[in-house]
Amino acid sequence: MNTCWQPERWRSSLSAVLDGEDPEIPLEQLDAHLAGCAPCDEWFEQASQQQTLLRSAGGPLRDITAHLIGVTEAHICSCHTGGDCECTDCVCPTCTCHDRAS
C-alpha cells in the first residue's frame, strides 16, 4: 500500500483548493502529487464529494457563533472573576448571576 509521508502538508493545500483559497503549494505540484499518491488522491476525492453534498443540501449557512458562545464557556464572563455580568441567556453551570431555574 502506498503511504504519504507528509499528508498534513498536502491535504492542507488540497483543502485550501476546495475552499477557493491560496493552496501555498503550486497547483502543478499538487496535481503531480495526486497522480502519484493514492492516499491523498482518495482523500481529495472524498473531500470533494463531501463538499458537493454539503453545498447541494440547500439552505443558507448560519453563523452559529453567538449561539455557541452562549452555550459554551468560550467567553469567560466577568461574573466569574467578580465583575459585572455580561452573560445573555446564560446556561453556564457555574454562573451565579442569573436564576437558571426560570
PDB file of all heavy atoms in Angstrom, residues 7 12 14 16 27 30 48 54-55 63 67 69 76 81 85 87 92 101:
ATOM      1  N   PRO A   7       1.222  13.853   4.776  1.00  0.00           N
ATOM      2  CA  PRO A   7      -0.178  14.058   4.413  1.00  0.00           C
ATOM      3  C   PRO A   7      -0.736  15.404   4.875  1.00  0.00           C
ATOM      4  O   PRO A   7      -1.524  16.021   4.155  1.00  0.00           O
ATOM      5  CB  PRO A   7      -0.905  12.891   5.087  1.00  0.00           C
ATOM      6  CG  PRO A   7      -0.005  12.448   6.186  1.00  0.00           C
ATOM      7  CD  PRO A   7       1.379  12.719   5.685  1.00  0.00           C
ATOM      8  N   SER A  12      -3.590  19.962   3.565  1.00  0.00           N
ATOM      9  CA  SER A  12      -3.879  21.351   3.917  1.00  0.00           C
ATOM     10  C   SER A  12      -4.013  22.194   2.653  1.00  0.00           C
ATOM     11  O   SER A  12      -4.934  23.004   2.522  1.00  0.00           O
ATOM     12  CB  SER A  12      -2.773  21.905   4.815  1.00  0.00           C
ATOM     13  OG  SER A  12      -2.995  23.263   5.075  1.00  0.00           O
ATOM     14  N   LEU A  14      -4.649  20.993  -0.398  1.00  0.00           N
ATOM     15  CA  LEU A  14      -5.795  20.494  -1.151  1.00  0.00           C
ATOM     16  C   LEU A  14      -7.096  21.033  -0.567  1.00  0.00           C
ATOM     17  O   LEU A  14      -8.025  21.395  -1.301  1.00  0.00           O
ATOM     18  CB  LEU A  14      -5.801  18.966  -1.161  1.00  0.00           C
ATOM     19  CG  LEU A  14      -4.666  18.319  -1.958  1.00  0.00           C
ATOM     20  CD1 LEU A  14      -4.574  16.830  -1.652  1.00  0.00           C
ATOM     21  CD2 LEU A  14      -4.850  18.567  -3.453  1.00  0.00           C
ATOM     22  N   ALA A  16      -7.397  23.881   0.923  1.00  0.00           N
ATOM     23  CA  ALA A  16      -7.451  25.278   0.505  1.00  0.00           C
ATOM     24  C   ALA A  16      -8.003  25.395  -0.914  1.00  0.00           C
ATOM     25  O   ALA A  16      -8.806  26.284  -1.211  1.00  0.00           O
ATOM     26  CB  ALA A  16      -6.059  25.916   0.598  1.00  0.00           C
ATOM     27  N   LEU A  27      -0.367  24.607  -7.964  1.00  0.00           N
ATOM     28  CA  LEU A  27      -1.332  23.620  -8.455  1.00  0.00           C
ATOM     29  C   LEU A  27      -0.670  22.505  -9.252  1.00  0.00           C
ATOM     30  O   LEU A  27      -1.093  21.353  -9.167  1.00  0.00           O
ATOM     31  CB  LEU A  27      -2.419  24.301  -9.291  1.00  0.00           C
ATOM     32  CG  LEU A  27      -3.348  25.239  -8.516  1.00  0.00           C
ATOM     33  CD1 LEU A  27      -4.319  25.927  -9.463  1.00  0.00           C
ATOM     34  CD2 LEU A  27      -4.097  24.484  -7.434  1.00  0.00           C
ATOM     35  N   LEU A  30       0.611  20.049  -6.828  1.00  0.00           N
ATOM     36  CA  LEU A  30      -0.493  19.306  -6.230  1.00  0.00           C
ATOM     37  C   LEU A  30      -1.008  18.234  -7.183  1.00  0.00           C
ATOM     38  O   LEU A  30      -1.234  17.091  -6.786  1.00  0.00           O
ATOM     39  CB  LEU A  30      -1.631  20.244  -5.844  1.00  0.00           C
ATOM     40  CG  LEU A  30      -1.385  21.148  -4.634  1.00  0.00           C
ATOM     41  CD1 LEU A  30      -2.520  22.148  -4.475  1.00  0.00           C
ATOM     42  CD2 LEU A  30      -1.206  20.320  -3.371  1.00  0.00           C
ATOM     43  N   SER A  48     -13.882  16.222  -1.901  1.00  0.00           N
ATOM     44  CA  SER A  48     -14.630  16.883  -2.977  1.00  0.00           C
ATOM     45  C   SER A  48     -16.083  16.428  -2.977  1.00  0.00           C
ATOM     46  O   SER A  48     -17.006  17.242  -3.138  1.00  0.00           O
ATOM     47  CB  SER A  48     -14.003  16.578  -4.339  1.00  0.00           C
ATOM     48  OG  SER A  48     -12.695  17.064  -4.407  1.00  0.00           O
ATOM     49  N   LEU A  54     -22.556  18.774   0.800  1.00  0.00           N
ATOM     50  CA  LEU A  54     -22.890  19.866   1.715  1.00  0.00           C
ATOM     51  C   LEU A  54     -23.471  21.064   0.974  1.00  0.00           C
ATOM     52  O   LEU A  54     -24.439  21.668   1.421  1.00  0.00           O
ATOM     53  CB  LEU A  54     -21.657  20.286   2.519  1.00  0.00           C
ATOM     54  CG  LEU A  54     -21.216  19.315   3.599  1.00  0.00           C
ATOM     55  CD1 LEU A  54     -19.878  19.742   4.177  1.00  0.00           C
ATOM     56  CD2 LEU A  54     -22.261  19.237   4.697  1.00  0.00           C
ATOM     57  N   ARG A  55     -22.889  21.392  -0.142  1.00  0.00           N
ATOM     58  CA  ARG A  55     -23.377  22.541  -0.910  1.00  0.00           C
ATOM     59  C   ARG A  55     -24.729  22.274  -1.554  1.00  0.00           C
ATOM     60  O   ARG A  55     -25.519  23.178  -1.744  1.00  0.00           O
ATOM     61  CB  ARG A  55     -22.348  22.953  -1.955  1.00  0.00           C
ATOM     62  CG  ARG A  55     -21.139  23.593  -1.315  1.00  0.00           C
ATOM     63  CD  ARG A  55     -20.187  24.138  -2.325  1.00  0.00           C
ATOM     64  NE  ARG A  55     -19.117  24.847  -1.627  1.00  0.00           N
ATOM     65  CZ  ARG A  55     -18.005  25.230  -2.196  1.00  0.00           C
ATOM     66  NH1 ARG A  55     -17.780  24.982  -3.467  1.00  0.00           N
ATOM     67  NH2 ARG A  55     -17.077  25.853  -1.490  1.00  0.00           N
ATOM     68  N   ASP A  63     -24.577  31.472  10.760  1.00  0.00           N
ATOM     69  CA  ASP A  63     -23.465  31.778  11.650  1.00  0.00           C
ATOM     70  C   ASP A  63     -23.940  31.439  13.057  1.00  0.00           C
ATOM     71  O   ASP A  63     -24.835  32.087  13.594  1.00  0.00           O
ATOM     72  CB  ASP A  63     -23.087  33.256  11.552  1.00  0.00           C
ATOM     73  CG  ASP A  63     -21.917  33.614  12.457  1.00  0.00           C
ATOM     74  OD1 ASP A  63     -21.378  32.720  13.148  1.00  0.00           O
ATOM     75  OD2 ASP A  63     -21.543  34.796  12.473  1.00  0.00           O
ATOM     76  N   HIS A  67     -24.590  31.661  19.233  1.00  0.00           N
ATOM     77  CA  HIS A  67     -25.230  30.561  19.945  1.00  0.00           C
ATOM     78  C   HIS A  67     -24.193  29.736  20.713  1.00  0.00           C
ATOM     79  O   HIS A  67     -24.409  29.370  21.869  1.00  0.00           O
ATOM     80  CB  HIS A  67     -26.004  29.668  18.973  1.00  0.00           C
ATOM     81  CG  HIS A  67     -26.577  28.447  19.615  1.00  0.00           C
ATOM     82  ND1 HIS A  67     -27.648  28.489  20.467  1.00  0.00           N
ATOM     83  CD2 HIS A  67     -26.195  27.153  19.557  1.00  0.00           C
ATOM     84  CE1 HIS A  67     -27.915  27.277  20.891  1.00  0.00           C
ATOM     85  NE2 HIS A  67     -27.044  26.440  20.352  1.00  0.00           N
ATOM     86  N   ILE A  69     -21.265  30.666  21.805  1.00  0.00           N
ATOM     87  CA  ILE A  69     -20.696  31.424  22.917  1.00  0.00           C
ATOM     88  C   ILE A  69     -21.655  31.437  24.092  1.00  0.00           C
ATOM     89  O   ILE A  69     -21.268  31.341  25.237  1.00  0.00           O
ATOM     90  CB  ILE A  69     -20.298  32.847  22.477  1.00  0.00           C
ATOM     91  CG1 ILE A  69     -19.085  32.744  21.555  1.00  0.00           C
ATOM     92  CG2 ILE A  69     -20.000  33.741  23.681  1.00  0.00           C
ATOM     93  CD1 ILE A  69     -18.673  34.043  20.913  1.00  0.00           C
ATOM     94  N   ILE A  76     -15.265  33.961  28.884  1.00  0.00           N
ATOM     95  CA  ILE A  76     -15.371  33.940  30.336  1.00  0.00           C
ATOM     96  C   ILE A  76     -15.943  35.278  30.769  1.00  0.00           C
ATOM     97  O   ILE A  76     -15.333  36.326  30.610  1.00  0.00           O
ATOM     98  CB  ILE A  76     -14.004  33.677  31.003  1.00  0.00           C
ATOM     99  CG1 ILE A  76     -13.503  32.298  30.595  1.00  0.00           C
ATOM    100  CG2 ILE A  76     -14.126  33.805  32.518  1.00  0.00           C
ATOM    101  CD1 ILE A  76     -12.156  31.927  31.155  1.00  0.00           C
ATOM    102  N   THR A  81     -15.132  36.375  37.620  1.00  0.00           N
ATOM    103  CA  THR A  81     -13.952  36.951  38.276  1.00  0.00           C
ATOM    104  C   THR A  81     -14.324  38.135  39.162  1.00  0.00           C
ATOM    105  O   THR A  81     -13.484  38.965  39.470  1.00  0.00           O
ATOM    106  CB  THR A  81     -12.917  37.388  37.219  1.00  0.00           C
ATOM    107  OG1 THR A  81     -13.527  38.323  36.326  1.00  0.00           O
ATOM    108  CG2 THR A  81     -12.387  36.190  36.447  1.00  0.00           C
ATOM    109  N   CYS A  85     -21.915  41.140  35.295  1.00  0.00           N
ATOM    110  CA  CYS A  85     -22.303  40.070  34.391  1.00  0.00           C
ATOM    111  C   CYS A  85     -22.443  40.594  32.965  1.00  0.00           C
ATOM    112  O   CYS A  85     -23.009  41.651  32.723  1.00  0.00           O
ATOM    113  CB  CYS A  85     -23.623  39.462  34.845  1.00  0.00           C
ATOM    114  SG  CYS A  85     -24.168  38.126  33.761  1.00  0.00           S
ATOM    115  N   CYS A  87     -23.321  38.086  30.627  1.00  0.00           N
ATOM    116  CA  CYS A  87     -23.992  36.934  30.033  1.00  0.00           C
ATOM    117  C   CYS A  87     -25.334  37.322  29.417  1.00  0.00           C
ATOM    118  O   CYS A  87     -26.038  38.177  29.948  1.00  0.00           O
ATOM    119  CB  CYS A  87     -24.251  35.855  31.085  1.00  0.00           C
ATOM    120  SG  CYS A  87     -22.763  35.182  31.834  1.00  0.00           S
ATOM    121  N   CYS A  92     -24.396  28.696  31.760  1.00  0.00           N
ATOM    122  CA  CYS A  92     -23.149  28.204  32.347  1.00  0.00           C
ATOM    123  C   CYS A  92     -23.461  27.511  33.666  1.00  0.00           C
ATOM    124  O   CYS A  92     -24.172  28.067  34.504  1.00  0.00           O
ATOM    125  CB  CYS A  92     -22.190  29.355  32.632  1.00  0.00           C
ATOM    126  SG  CYS A  92     -21.765  30.354  31.214  1.00  0.00           S
ATOM    127  N   ALA A 101     -33.245  28.569  36.883  1.00  0.00           N
ATOM    128  CA  ALA A 101     -34.485  27.811  37.019  1.00  0.00           C
ATOM    129  C   ALA A 101     -35.633  28.453  36.255  1.00  0.00           C
ATOM    130  O   ALA A 101     -36.608  27.808  35.943  1.00  0.00           O
ATOM    131  CB  ALA A 101     -34.862  27.671  38.491  1.00  0.00           C
TER     132      ALA A 101
END
